[in-house]
Amino acid sequence: PQAAVEACNAKLAQKPRFYAAYLERGINKEKLRRPDEALRDYQRVARMMRKNSGPWQEANRRIHRLQKGRRGP
């Protein structure tokens, strides 16, 4: 996962609005147990994309899941 995060960072350095790289980076940050960083990536996608688009829905699904996990049982 760390190599994937680094690859996404390189993609984003070239194309800062490449939403798919933010999603991929967020997923890999979750795998690295860095949920706060993953959440920021998903929130960025949600802000960038048109509401109810596929990427917006994916980002919001992940945001809600992470936020639910923070609240505990």
Side-chain angles (χ1 to χ4, degrees):
Q2 185 58 43
V5 168
E6 292 169 12
C8 289
N9 290 342
K11 290 176 196 175
L12 291 166
Q14 297 296 313
K15 296 182 179 181
R17 294 198 45 85
F18 186 29
Y19 75 87
Y22 285 106
L23 278 174
E24 182 180 348
R25 189 171 73 173
I27 291 166
N28 283 286
K29 285 180 176 180
E30 281 192 74
K31 291 177 183 177
L32 292 168
R33 297 194 170 143
R34 293 164 34 193
D36 292 339
E37 293 176 29
L39 183 61
R40 283 192 293 273
D41 282 342
Y42 299 146
Q43 289 170 332
R44 186 159 199 166
V45 172
R47 285 192 307 270
M48 290 170 58
M49 302 308 297
R50 186 174 44 87
K51 189 174 183 178
N52 293 321
S53 66
W56 181 90
Q57 290 177 351
E58 177 69 13
N60 275 285
R61 183 181 65 79
R62 292 179 178 278
I63 289 167
H64 291 293
R65 185 176 42 76
L66 282 174
Q67 289 176 336
K68 184 179 178 183
R70 284 182 169 183
R71 289 191 294 262

Coordinates of all heavy atoms in Angstrom, one line a residue:
P1 N 0.8 -1.2 0.0 CA 0.0 0.0 0.0 C 0.8 1.3 0.0 O 0.4 2.3 -0.6 CB -0.8 -0.1 1.3 CG -0.9 -1.6 1.6 CD 0.4 -2.1 1.0
Q2 N 2.0 1.3 0.7 CA 2.8 2.5 0.7 C 3.3 2.9 -0.7 O 3.3 4.0 -1.1 CB 4.0 2.3 1.7 CG 4.8 3.6 1.8 CD 4.0 4.8 2.4 OE1 3.2 4.6 3.3 NE2 4.2 6.0 1.8
A3 N 3.7 1.9 -1.5 CA 4.1 2.2 -2.8 C 3.0 2.8 -3.7 O 3.2 3.7 -4.5 CB 4.7 0.9 -3.5
A4 N 1.8 2.3 -3.4 CA 0.6 2.8 -4.2 C 0.3 4.3 -3.7 O 0.0 5.1 -4.6 CB -0.6 1.9 -3.9
V5 N 0.5 4.6 -2.5 CA 0.3 5.9 -2.0 C 1.3 6.8 -2.7 O 1.0 7.9 -3.2 CB 0.4 6.0 -0.4 CG1 0.5 7.5 0.0 CG2 -0.8 5.3 0.2
E6 N 2.6 6.4 -2.7 CA 3.6 7.2 -3.4 C 3.3 7.4 -4.9 O 3.6 8.5 -5.4 CB 5.0 6.5 -3.1 CG 5.4 6.6 -1.7 CD 6.6 5.8 -1.3 OE1 7.3 5.3 -2.2 OE2 6.8 5.6 -0.1
A7 N 2.8 6.3 -5.5 CA 2.5 6.5 -6.9 C 1.4 7.5 -7.1 O 1.4 8.3 -8.1 CB 2.1 5.1 -7.5
C8 N 0.4 7.5 -6.2 CA -0.7 8.5 -6.3 C -0.2 9.9 -6.1 O -0.6 10.8 -6.7 CB -1.8 8.1 -5.3 SG -2.7 6.7 -5.7
N9 N 0.7 10.0 -5.1 CA 1.3 11.3 -4.9 C 2.0 11.9 -6.1 O 1.9 13.0 -6.5 CB 2.4 11.2 -3.7 CG 1.7 11.0 -2.4 OD1 0.5 11.2 -2.2 ND2 2.5 10.5 -1.4
A10 N 2.7 11.0 -6.9 CA 3.4 11.4 -8.1 C 2.3 11.8 -9.2 O 2.5 12.8 -9.9 CB 4.3 10.2 -8.6
K11 N 1.3 11.0 -9.3 CA 0.2 11.4 -10.2 C -0.4 12.7 -9.9 O -0.6 13.6 -10.8 CB -0.9 10.3 -10.2 CG -0.5 9.0 -10.8 CD -1.7 8.0 -10.6 CE -1.3 6.6 -10.8 NZ -2.3 5.6 -10.4
L12 N -0.6 13.0 -8.6 CA -1.3 14.2 -8.2 C -0.3 15.4 -8.3 O -0.8 16.5 -8.5 CB -1.8 14.1 -6.7 CG -3.0 13.1 -6.6 CD1 -3.2 12.7 -5.2 CD2 -4.2 13.7 -7.3
A13 N 0.9 15.2 -8.3 CA 1.9 16.3 -8.5 C 1.8 16.8 -9.9 O 2.0 17.9 -10.2 CB 3.3 15.8 -8.2
Q14 N 1.5 15.8 -10.8 CA 1.3 16.2 -12.3 C -0.1 16.7 -12.6 O -0.3 17.6 -13.4 CB 1.6 15.0 -13.1 CG 3.0 14.5 -13.0 CD 4.0 15.5 -13.5 OE1 3.8 16.1 -14.6 NE2 5.1 15.8 -12.7
K15 N -1.1 16.1 -12.0 CA -2.5 16.4 -12.2 C -3.3 16.5 -10.9 O -3.9 15.6 -10.4 CB -3.1 15.3 -13.1 CG -2.6 15.2 -14.5 CD -3.3 14.1 -15.3 CE -2.7 14.0 -16.7 NZ -3.4 13.0 -17.5
P16 N -3.2 17.7 -10.3 CA -3.8 17.9 -9.0 C -5.3 17.6 -8.9 O -5.8 17.4 -7.8 CB -3.5 19.3 -8.6 CG -2.5 19.8 -9.6 CD -2.5 18.9 -10.8
R17 N -6.0 17.6 -10.0 CA -7.5 17.3 -9.9 C -7.8 15.9 -10.4 O -9.0 15.7 -10.8 CB -8.2 18.4 -10.8 CG -8.0 19.8 -10.1 CD -9.0 20.8 -10.6 NE -10.4 20.4 -10.6 CZ -11.3 20.4 -9.6 NH1 -10.9 20.8 -8.4 NH2 -12.5 20.0 -9.8
F18 N -6.9 15.0 -10.4 CA -7.1 13.6 -10.8 C -7.8 12.9 -9.7 O -7.2 12.3 -8.8 CB -5.8 13.0 -11.2 CG -5.8 11.6 -11.8 CD1 -6.9 11.2 -12.5 CD2 -4.8 10.8 -11.6 CE1 -7.0 10.0 -13.1 CE2 -4.9 9.5 -12.2 CZ -6.0 9.1 -12.9
Y19 N -9.1 12.9 -9.7 CA -9.9 12.4 -8.6 C -9.6 10.9 -8.3 O -9.6 10.5 -7.2 CB -11.4 12.7 -8.8 CG -12.0 11.7 -9.8 CD1 -12.5 10.5 -9.4 CD2 -12.1 12.1 -11.2 CE1 -13.0 9.6 -10.4 CE2 -12.6 11.2 -12.1 CZ -13.1 10.0 -11.7 OH -13.6 9.1 -12.6
A20 N -9.4 10.2 -9.4 CA -9.2 8.7 -9.2 C -7.9 8.5 -8.3 O -7.9 7.5 -7.5 CB -9.1 8.0 -10.5
A21 N -6.9 9.3 -8.4 CA -5.7 9.2 -7.6 C -6.0 9.4 -6.1 O -5.5 8.8 -5.3 CB -4.6 10.1 -8.1
Y22 N -6.9 10.4 -5.9 CA -7.3 10.6 -4.5 C -8.1 9.4 -3.9 O -7.8 9.1 -2.8 CB -8.2 11.9 -4.4 CG -7.4 13.2 -4.5 CD1 -7.5 13.9 -5.7 CD2 -6.6 13.6 -3.5 CE1 -6.8 15.1 -5.8 CE2 -5.9 14.8 -3.6 CZ -6.0 15.5 -4.8 OH -5.2 16.7 -4.9
L23 N -9.0 8.9 -4.7 CA -9.7 7.7 -4.2 C -8.7 6.5 -4.0 O -8.8 5.9 -2.9 CB -10.7 7.3 -5.3 CG -12.1 8.0 -5.3 CD1 -12.9 7.6 -6.4 CD2 -12.8 7.8 -3.9
E24 N -7.9 6.3 -4.9 CA -6.9 5.2 -4.8 C -6.0 5.4 -3.6 O -5.7 4.5 -2.8 CB -6.1 5.0 -6.0 CG -5.1 3.9 -6.0 CD -4.3 3.8 -7.2 OE1 -4.6 4.4 -8.3 OE2 -3.3 3.0 -7.2
R25 N -5.5 6.6 -3.4 CA -4.7 7.0 -2.3 C -5.4 6.8 -0.9 O -4.9 6.2 0.0 CB -4.1 8.4 -2.4 CG -3.0 8.7 -1.4 CD -2.4 10.0 -1.7 NE -3.2 11.1 -1.3 CZ -2.8 12.4 -1.4 NH1 -1.6 12.7 -1.8 NH2 -3.7 13.4 -1.1
G26 N -6.7 7.2 -0.9 CA -7.5 7.0 0.3 C -7.6 5.6 0.7 O -7.5 5.2 1.8
I27 N -7.9 4.7 -0.3 CA -8.1 3.3 -0.1 C -6.8 2.7 0.5 O -6.8 1.9 1.5 CB -8.5 2.6 -1.4 CG1 -9.9 3.0 -1.8 CG2 -8.4 1.1 -1.3 CD1 -10.3 2.7 -3.2
N28 N -5.7 3.1 -0.1 CA -4.4 2.6 0.4 C -4.0 3.1 1.8 O -3.4 2.4 2.6 CB -3.3 2.8 -0.6 CG -3.5 1.8 -1.8 OD1 -3.1 0.6 -1.6 ND2 -4.0 2.2 -2.9
K29 N -4.4 4.4 2.0 CA -4.2 4.9 3.4 C -5.0 4.2 4.4 O -4.5 4.0 5.5 CB -4.5 6.4 3.4 CG -3.4 7.2 2.7 CD -3.7 8.7 2.8 CE -2.6 9.5 2.2 NZ -2.9 10.9 2.2
E30 N -6.2 3.8 4.1 CA -7.0 2.9 5.0 C -6.2 1.6 5.3 O -6.2 1.2 6.4 CB -8.4 2.6 4.4 CG -9.3 3.8 4.5 CD -10.7 3.3 4.2 OE1 -11.3 2.6 5.0 OE2 -11.2 3.6 3.1
K31 N -5.7 1.0 4.2 CA -5.0 -0.3 4.4 C -3.8 -0.1 5.3 O -3.4 -1.0 6.0 CB -4.5 -0.8 3.1 CG -5.6 -1.3 2.2 CD -5.1 -1.8 0.8 CE -6.3 -2.2 -0.1 NZ -5.9 -2.6 -1.4
L32 N -3.2 1.1 5.3 CA -2.0 1.5 6.2 C -2.5 1.9 7.5 O -1.7 2.4 8.3 CB -1.2 2.5 5.5 CG -0.5 2.1 4.2 CD1 0.1 3.3 3.5 CD2 0.6 1.1 4.6
R33 N -3.8 1.9 7.8 CA -4.4 2.3 9.1 C -4.1 3.8 9.4 O -3.7 4.1 10.5 CB -3.9 1.4 10.2 CG -4.3 0.0 10.0 CD -4.2 -0.9 11.2 NE -4.8 -2.1 11.0 CZ -4.4 -3.3 11.4 NH1 -3.3 -3.4 12.1 NH2 -5.1 -4.4 11.1
R34 N -4.4 4.6 8.3 CA -4.3 6.0 8.4 C -5.6 6.6 8.0 O -5.7 7.3 7.0 CB -3.1 6.5 7.6 CG -1.8 6.0 8.1 CD -0.6 6.1 7.2 NE -0.5 7.2 6.3 CZ 0.4 7.1 5.2 NH1 1.2 6.1 5.1 NH2 0.4 8.1 4.4
P35 N -6.7 6.3 8.8 CA -8.0 6.7 8.5 C -8.2 8.2 8.3 O -9.0 8.7 7.5 CB -8.9 6.1 9.5 CG -8.0 6.0 10.7 CD -6.6 5.7 10.1
D36 N -7.6 9.0 9.1 CA -7.7 10.5 9.1 C -7.3 11.0 7.7 O -7.9 11.9 7.1 CB -7.0 11.2 10.2 CG -7.7 10.9 11.5 OD1 -8.8 10.5 11.6 OD2 -7.0 11.1 12.6
E37 N -6.1 10.5 7.3 CA -5.6 10.9 6.0 C -6.5 10.4 4.8 O -6.7 11.1 3.9 CB -4.2 10.4 5.8 CG -3.2 11.0 6.7 CD -1.8 10.4 6.6 OE1 -1.5 9.9 5.5 OE2 -1.1 10.4 7.6
A38 N -7.0 9.2 5.0 CA -7.9 8.6 4.0 C -9.2 9.5 3.9 O -9.7 9.8 2.8 CB -8.3 7.2 4.3
L39 N -9.7 9.8 5.0 CA -10.9 10.7 5.1 C -10.7 12.0 4.3 O -11.6 12.4 3.6 CB -11.3 10.9 6.5 CG -12.6 11.7 6.8 CD1 -13.8 11.0 6.2 CD2 -12.8 11.9 8.3
R40 N -9.6 12.6 4.5 CA -9.3 13.9 3.8 C -9.3 13.7 2.3 O -9.8 14.5 1.6 CB -8.0 14.5 4.3 CG -8.1 15.1 5.6 CD -6.9 16.0 6.0 NE -5.7 15.2 6.2 CZ -5.3 14.6 7.3 NH1 -6.1 14.8 8.4 NH2 -4.2 14.0 7.4
D41 N -8.7 12.6 1.8 CA -8.7 12.3 0.4 C -10.1 12.1 -0.1 O -10.5 12.6 -1.2 CB -7.9 11.1 0.1 CG -6.4 11.4 0.1 OD1 -6.0 12.6 0.0 OD2 -5.6 10.4 0.2
Y42 N -10.9 11.3 0.6 CA -12.3 11.1 0.2 C -13.1 12.4 0.2 O -13.9 12.7 -0.7 CB -13.0 10.1 1.1 CG -12.4 8.7 1.1 CD1 -12.3 7.9 2.2 CD2 -11.7 8.2 -0.1 CE1 -11.7 6.7 2.2 CE2 -11.1 7.0 -0.1 CZ -11.1 6.2 1.1 OH -10.6 5.0 1.1
Q43 N -12.9 13.2 1.2 CA -13.6 14.5 1.3 C -13.2 15.4 0.1 O -14.1 16.1 -0.5 CB -13.3 15.2 2.6 CG -14.0 14.5 3.8 CD -13.5 15.0 5.1 OE1 -12.4 15.5 5.3 NE2 -14.4 14.9 6.1
R44 N -12.0 15.3 -0.3 CA -11.5 16.1 -1.5 C -12.3 15.7 -2.7 O -12.7 16.5 -3.5 CB -10.0 16.0 -1.6 CG -9.5 16.9 -2.7 CD -8.1 17.2 -2.5 NE -7.7 18.4 -3.2 CZ -6.6 19.0 -3.0 NH1 -5.7 18.6 -2.1 NH2 -6.3 20.0 -3.7
V45 N -12.4 14.4 -2.9 CA -13.1 13.9 -4.1 C -14.5 14.4 -4.1 O -15.1 14.8 -5.1 CB -13.0 12.3 -4.2 CG1 -13.9 11.8 -5.3 CG2 -11.6 11.9 -4.4
A46 N -15.2 14.3 -2.9 CA -16.6 14.7 -2.8 C -16.7 16.2 -3.1 O -17.7 16.6 -3.7 CB -17.1 14.4 -1.4
R47 N -15.8 17.0 -2.8 CA -15.8 18.4 -3.1 C -15.6 18.7 -4.6 O -16.1 19.6 -5.2 CB -14.8 19.2 -2.3 CG -15.2 19.4 -0.8 CD -14.3 20.5 -0.2 NE -12.9 20.2 -0.3 CZ -12.2 19.5 0.6 NH1 -12.8 18.9 1.6 NH2 -10.9 19.3 0.4
M48 N -14.7 17.9 -5.2 CA -14.3 18.1 -6.6 C -15.4 17.6 -7.6 O -15.5 18.2 -8.7 CB -13.1 17.3 -6.9 CG -11.8 17.8 -6.2 SD -10.4 16.6 -6.4 CE -10.3 16.5 -8.2
M49 N -16.2 16.6 -7.2 CA -17.0 15.9 -8.2 C -18.5 16.5 -8.1 O -18.9 17.0 -7.1 CB -17.0 14.4 -8.0 CG -15.7 13.8 -8.1 SD -14.8 14.2 -9.6 CE -15.8 13.5 -10.8
R50 N -19.2 16.3 -9.2 CA -20.6 16.7 -9.3 C -21.4 15.8 -8.4 O -21.2 14.6 -8.3 CB -21.0 16.6 -10.7 CG -22.4 17.1 -11.0 CD -22.8 17.0 -12.5 NE -22.3 15.8 -13.1 CZ -23.1 14.6 -13.2 NH1 -24.3 14.6 -12.6 NH2 -22.6 13.6 -13.8
K51 N -22.3 16.4 -7.6 CA -23.1 15.7 -6.7 C -23.8 14.5 -7.4 O -24.4 14.7 -8.5 CB -24.1 16.6 -6.0 CG -24.8 15.9 -4.8 CD -25.6 16.9 -4.1 CE -26.3 16.3 -2.9 NZ -27.1 17.2 -2.1
N52 N -23.8 13.4 -6.8 CA -24.5 12.2 -7.3 C -23.8 11.5 -8.4 O -24.3 10.5 -8.9 CB -26.0 12.4 -7.6 CG -26.8 12.7 -6.3 OD1 -26.6 12.1 -5.3 ND2 -27.7 13.7 -6.4
S53 N -22.6 12.0 -8.8 CA -21.9 11.3 -9.8 C -21.3 10.0 -9.2 O -21.3 9.9 -8.0 CB -20.7 12.2 -10.4 OG -19.8 12.4 -9.3
G54 N -20.8 9.1 -10.0 CA -20.3 7.8 -9.4 C -19.1 8.1 -8.4 O -19.1 7.5 -7.3
P55 N -18.1 8.9 -8.8 CA -17.0 9.2 -7.9 C -17.5 9.8 -6.6 O -17.0 9.6 -5.5 CB -16.1 10.1 -8.7 CG -16.4 9.7 -10.1 CD -17.8 9.5 -10.1
W56 N -18.4 10.8 -6.7 CA -19.0 11.5 -5.5 C -19.6 10.4 -4.6 O -19.4 10.5 -3.4 CB -20.0 12.5 -6.0 CG -20.6 13.3 -4.9 CD1 -20.1 14.5 -4.3 CD2 -21.8 13.0 -4.1 NE1 -20.9 14.9 -3.3 CE2 -22.0 14.0 -3.2 CE3 -22.7 12.0 -4.2 CZ2 -23.0 14.1 -2.3 CZ3 -23.8 12.0 -3.3 CH2 -23.9 13.0 -2.4
Q57 N -20.4 9.5 -5.2 CA -21.1 8.5 -4.4 C -20.1 7.6 -3.7 O -20.3 7.3 -2.5 CB -22.1 7.7 -5.2 CG -23.3 8.5 -5.7 CD -24.2 7.7 -6.6 OE1 -23.9 6.7 -7.1 NE2 -25.4 8.3 -6.9
E58 N -19.1 7.2 -4.4 CA -18.1 6.3 -3.8 C -17.4 7.0 -2.7 O -17.1 6.4 -1.6 CB -17.0 5.9 -4.9 CG -15.9 5.0 -4.4 CD -16.3 3.7 -4.0 OE1 -17.4 3.2 -4.3 OE2 -15.5 3.0 -3.3
A59 N -17.0 8.2 -2.9 CA -16.3 9.0 -1.9 C -17.2 9.1 -0.6 O -16.7 8.9 0.5 CB -15.8 10.4 -2.4
N60 N -18.4 9.5 -0.8 CA -19.3 9.7 0.3 C -19.6 8.4 1.0 O -19.7 8.4 2.3 CB -20.6 10.3 -0.2 CG -20.5 11.8 -0.2 OD1 -20.5 12.5 0.9 ND2 -20.3 12.4 -1.3
R61 N -19.7 7.3 0.3 CA -19.9 6.0 1.0 C -18.7 5.7 1.9 O -18.9 5.3 3.1 CB -20.0 4.9 -0.1 CG -20.3 3.5 0.5 CD -20.4 2.4 -0.6 NE -19.1 2.2 -1.3 CZ -18.1 1.5 -0.8 NH1 -18.2 0.9 0.3 NH2 -17.0 1.4 -1.5
R62 N -17.5 6.0 1.4 CA -16.3 5.7 2.2 C -16.2 6.7 3.4 O -15.8 6.4 4.5 CB -15.1 5.8 1.4 CG -15.0 4.6 0.4 CD -13.8 4.7 -0.5 NE -13.8 3.5 -1.4 CZ -13.3 2.3 -1.0 NH1 -12.8 2.1 0.2 NH2 -13.3 1.3 -1.9
I63 N -16.6 8.0 3.2 CA -16.6 9.0 4.2 C -17.5 8.5 5.4 O -17.1 8.5 6.5 CB -17.1 10.3 3.7 CG1 -16.0 10.9 2.8 CG2 -17.4 11.3 4.8 CD1 -16.4 12.1 2.0
H64 N -18.7 8.1 5.0 CA -19.7 7.7 6.0 C -19.2 6.5 6.8 O -19.4 6.4 8.0 CB -21.1 7.5 5.4 CG -21.7 8.7 4.9 ND1 -22.2 9.7 5.8 CD2 -22.0 9.2 3.7 CE1 -22.7 10.7 5.1 NE2 -22.6 10.4 3.8
R65 N -18.6 5.5 6.1 CA -18.1 4.3 6.8 C -17.0 4.7 7.8 O -17.0 4.2 8.9 CB -17.6 3.3 5.7 CG -17.2 2.0 6.4 CD -16.8 1.0 5.4 NE -16.0 1.5 4.3 CZ -14.7 1.8 4.3 NH1 -14.1 1.6 5.5 NH2 -14.1 2.2 3.3
L66 N -16.1 5.6 7.4 CA -15.0 6.0 8.3 C -15.6 6.7 9.5 O -15.1 6.6 10.6 CB -14.0 6.8 7.5 CG -13.0 6.0 6.7 CD1 -12.1 7.0 5.9 CD2 -12.1 5.1 7.5
Q67 N -16.5 7.6 9.2 CA -17.1 8.4 10.3 C -17.8 7.6 11.2 O -17.8 7.8 12.5 CB -17.9 9.6 9.7 CG -17.1 10.6 9.1 CD -17.9 11.7 8.4 OE1 -19.0 11.5 8.1 NE2 -17.3 12.9 8.3
K68 N -18.5 6.6 10.7 CA -19.3 5.6 11.6 C -18.3 4.9 12.5 O -18.6 4.7 13.7 CB -20.1 4.7 10.7 CG -21.0 3.7 11.5 CD -21.8 2.8 10.6 CE -22.6 1.9 11.4 NZ -23.3 0.9 10.6
G69 N -17.2 4.5 11.9 CA -16.2 3.7 12.7 C -15.6 4.6 13.8 O -15.2 4.0 14.8
R70 N -15.5 5.9 13.6 CA -15.0 6.7 14.7 C -15.9 6.8 15.9 O -15.5 7.0 17.0 CB -14.8 8.2 14.1 CG -13.7 8.3 13.2 CD -13.6 9.7 12.8 NE -12.4 10.0 12.2 CZ -12.0 11.2 11.7 NH1 -12.8 12.2 11.9 NH2 -10.9 11.4 11.2
R71 N -17.2 6.7 15.6 CA -18.2 6.9 16.7 C -18.3 5.7 17.6 O -18.8 5.7 18.7 CB -19.6 7.2 16.1 CG -19.7 8.5 15.5 CD -21.1 8.9 15.2 NE -21.7 8.1 14.1 CZ -21.8 8.4 12.9 NH1 -21.3 9.6 12.5 NH2 -22.3 7.6 12.0
G72 N -17.8 4.6 17.1 CA -17.8 3.3 17.9 C -19.1 2.6 17.8 O -20.0 3.0 17.0
P73 N -19.3 1.6 18.7 CA -20.5 0.8 18.6 C -21.8 1.6 19.1 O -21.7 2.5 19.8 CB -20.3 -0.4 19.5 CG -19.0 -0.1 20.2 CD -18.4 1.1 19.6

